[in-house]
């Protein structure tokens, strides 16, 4: 099975949450689930408190992995998608773009979103795990 950018974007938009992986001060992976995010094609915007551990980690090292996986999947049809890239702190018009995308998904965040950092991750590499492929060697594909 071949998946195109439009199908990837639709999968990302239809996910309830994402899992964000960063690197902590000791060089170890750190992961957490986020619901406050927005999608624009193959770019992800997410919000976090300015003094959060995420913000501190991203200031030091902005390499991230972002995993999307729909809930309640069964193995024959199981799919997940991971985007790899750099989380870039937004400002100005790009902040407003990210803010609007996030609020489109999670309007309940409107009260405090102006006081948060918003980051943009542009996919540099995408990994698709797709159990629908009959040949096990074709179940994991890397794009880009």
């Amino acid at each position: 099975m071949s998946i195109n950018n439009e199908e990837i974007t639709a999968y990302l938009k239809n996910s309830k949450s994402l899992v964000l992986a960063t690197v902590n001060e000791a060089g170890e992976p750190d992961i957490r689930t986020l619901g406050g995010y927005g999608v624009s094609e193959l770019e992800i915007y997410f919000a976090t408190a300015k003094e959060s551990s995420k913000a501190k980690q991203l200031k030091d090292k902005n390499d991230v992995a972002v995993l999307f996986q729909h809930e309640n999947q069964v193995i024959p049809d199981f799919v997940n998608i991971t985007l790899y890239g750099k989380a870039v702190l937004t400002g100005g018009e790009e902040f407003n773009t990210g803010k609007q995308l996030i609020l489109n998904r999670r309007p309940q965040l409107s009260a405090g979103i102006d006081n948060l950092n918003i980051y943009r991750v542009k996919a540099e590499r995408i990994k698709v795990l797709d159990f629908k492929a009959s040949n096990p060697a074709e179940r994991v594909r890397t794009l880009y």
Side-chain angles (χ1 to χ4, degrees):
M1 177 185 170
S2 177
I3 189 167
N4 63 38
N5 288 357
E6 289 177 2
E7 291 169 316
I8 291 171
T9 299
Y11 188 91
L12 305 181
K13 286 182 176 180
N14 289 319
S15 295
K16 291 187 186 233
S17 59
L18 60 79
V19 177
L20 175 70
T22 58
V23 179
N24 70 19
E25 298 79 16
E28 302 163 332
D30 195 359
I31 61 172
R32 74 278 285 156
T33 302
L34 301 176
Y37 74 92
V39 177
S40 176
E41 297 182 12
L42 298 179
E43 292 185 335
I44 308 305
Y45 291 84
F46 66 89
T48 189
K50 293 180 180 183
E51 298 300 321
S52 69
S53 61
K54 288 184 289 300
K56 291 174 186 171
Q57 291 167 359
L58 294 171
K59 185 176 181 183
D60 293 336
K61 185 162 181 60
N62 67 344
D63 294 307
V64 298
V66 186
L67 171 72
F68 294 84
Q69 182 172 296
H70 292 181
E71 298 177 4
N72 302 317
Q73 295 186 76
V74 293
I75 290 298
D77 299 319
F78 187 88
V79 174
N80 71 28
I81 298 175
T82 306
L83 278 64
Y84 299 88
K86 300 200 180 302
V88 177
L89 182 63
T90 65
E93 191 54 41
E94 188 174 39
F95 177 92
N96 291 328
T97 297
K99 172 183 167 179
Q100 193 55 56
L101 289 167
I102 293 166
L103 292 177
N104 287 347
R105 288 183 44 80
R106 298 277 193 249
Q108 64 270 31
L109 297 177
S110 63
I113 197 164
D114 287 323
N115 297 317
L116 300 175
N117 281 350
I118 295 181
Y119 294 86
R120 175 184 49 83
V121 179
K122 182 176 182 179
E124 296 174 359
R125 185 167 47 100
I126 299 172
K127 181 179 76 174
V128 177
L129 172 64
D130 185 352
F131 272 73
K132 290 180 270 186
S134 57
N135 180 348
E138 297 173 357
R139 290 183 179 161
V140 178
R141 289 179 296 117
T142 301
L143 312 173
Y144 302 162

